[in-house]
Amino acid sequence: MSGVITKAIHILDLLLPQGTEKEMSVTEMSRELDMPVQSVHRILASLVEHGFVAQNTKTKKYKLGLTIMKYGFLMWDSLMLRTVARPFMEELSQKTKETVYLATRENAEGVYIDSVDSPQILKISEPIGLKLPLFIGASNRVILAYLPRKTQEALLADVDWSSVPSLKPLSREHIEDEIAMIHKQGYAITTGEATEGTTGIGAPIFSYENMVIGSLNVAGPSLRFTEDTIERNSSLVKKYADLISNELGYRYKLKR
């Protein structure tokens, strides 16, 4: 299998544009890579099926497909996210006086990729790189809420709810209710799930493709999160998450 993957990568490398879009025939690729024509045909068929390569119907030659572009832009979004978000995080922390986290998705988990500490002595300080399932904590759950429905179902289908790493008991029904509430109010709020005595408010960050790529989260000791503070902080979190999304090229406004 690894040999086939290596050959597929060689084909993709060969089709990389050099100034202008590059198209090649099966024979040209076979000759260039010193690979049997049959092998090139077989690998191209799989690459075409998944959109990594496209065939010109007129010339019958092959070029890179839109899937490559999609993954390229997703990687660019991830690299840009932290750089773009940082000044907004600092301003949000100044306004709320709480710790601000930036999170993104890594498979079935959410991970903190940056933070700005609260200026107060009593504060929340979770480590960068902390990973938890996407259904635990406000920063993660708000990402889960805006993923495609099929992705949500796949992530929640086989969870053993009796052994999830949450300080509070969770269930599939509870998470489904939370997802509906998040869509209604535009943010997630959790208390004491990942860390005892803490409250977090998370809002989604979207890419130019209208895809959720992360979240902005304000977190602090629950004793400071009164009803009025929650209302104010949730409004600020949504505002700054939207500003980051706009900087990343997102324009479509979801109903919050």
Side-chain angles (χ1 to χ4, degrees):
M1 179 61 75
S2 61
V4 175
I5 294 172
T6 300
K7 289 175 182 178
I9 291 171
H10 288 327
I11 290 173
L12 294 174
D13 284 340
L14 193 61
L15 292 175
L16 281 174
Q18 297 175 345
T20 58
E21 192 172 60
K22 189 176 182 182
E23 291 187 353
M24 296 184 72
S25 68
V26 174
T27 304
E28 289 170 334
M29 283 186 268
S30 171
R31 184 170 59 247
E32 189 76 25
L33 296 172
D34 193 22
M35 194 185 301
V37 171
Q38 244 183 346
S39 297
V40 176
H41 257 303
R42 188 170 60 251
I43 295 169
L44 281 171
S46 293
L47 292 172
V48 168
E49 181 183 353
H50 296 286
F52 288 97
V53 170
Q55 187 179 30
N56 186 319
T57 54
K58 291 183 179 179
T59 66
K60 303 301 180 184
K61 291 187 176 184
Y62 294 86
K63 61 182 179 180
L64 291 181
L66 292 178
T67 298
I68 288 287
M69 186 182 296
K70 180 183 77 174
Y71 284 117
F73 280 128
L74 285 173
M75 181 59 71
W76 177 251
D77 285 340
S78 296
L79 293 171
M80 286 293 292
L81 179 56
R82 190 168 179 234
T83 302
V84 168
R86 185 70 190 188
F88 294 109
M89 294 172 63
E90 291 171 351
E91 192 171 323
L92 179 58
S93 182
Q94 289 171 7
K95 290 193 174 184
T96 61
K97 306 299 181 188
E98 300 294 355
T99 299
V100 174
Y101 292 100
L102 181 67
T104 190
R105 176 192 172 199
E106 189 172 296
N107 298 319
E109 296 176 311
V111 55
Y112 286 145
I113 59 173
D114 201 3
S115 68
V116 176
D117 280 347
S118 165
Q120 304 195 65
I121 294 174
L122 180 61
K123 59 189 175 184
I124 304 304
S125 188
E126 302 286 7
I128 300 302
L130 176 68
K131 294 181 182 180
L132 284 170
L134 281 172
F135 49 81
I136 297 178
S139 62
N140 297 334
R141 194 171 295 157
V142 79
I143 295 174
L144 175 67
Y146 288 95
L147 289 173
R149 183 58 191 164
K150 284 186 178 180
T151 306
Q152 291 176 5
E153 290 173 350
L155 290 170
L156 297 174
D158 299 319
V159 176
D160 179 0
W161 296 101
S162 65
S163 63
V164 297
S166 170
L167 299 179
K168 286 186 171 181
L170 298 176
S171 67
R172 173 74 181 263
E173 292 73 22
H174 174 72
I175 298 302
E176 295 286 5
D177 289 343
E178 285 278 292
I179 288 172
M181 180 61 69
I182 290 166
H183 278 275
K184 190 176 295 185
Q185 61 192 15
Y187 64 90
I189 179 167
T190 59
T191 297
E193 288 188 4
T195 305
E196 191 172 351
T198 68
T199 294
I201 305 172
I205 296 172
F206 298 94
S207 73
Y208 78 101
E209 287 187 312
N210 192 24
M211 295 175 61
V212 63
I213 59 167
S215 68
L216 194 62
N217 186 49
V218 166
S222 297
L223 57 89
R224 287 205 294 261
F225 280 68
T226 63
E227 187 175 333
D228 288 343
T229 304
I230 288 173
E231 184 178 351
R232 178 176 180 273
N233 286 352
S234 62
S235 177
L236 286 168
V237 172
K238 287 194 293 180
K239 172 186 173 181
Y240 280 91
D242 284 343
L243 289 171
I244 295 169
S245 297
N246 290 338
E247 284 292 313
L248 292 170
Y250 173 72
R251 290 293 177 266
Y252 178 71
K253 190 75 172 177
L254 289 176
K255 291 181 180 178
R256 297 266 181 105

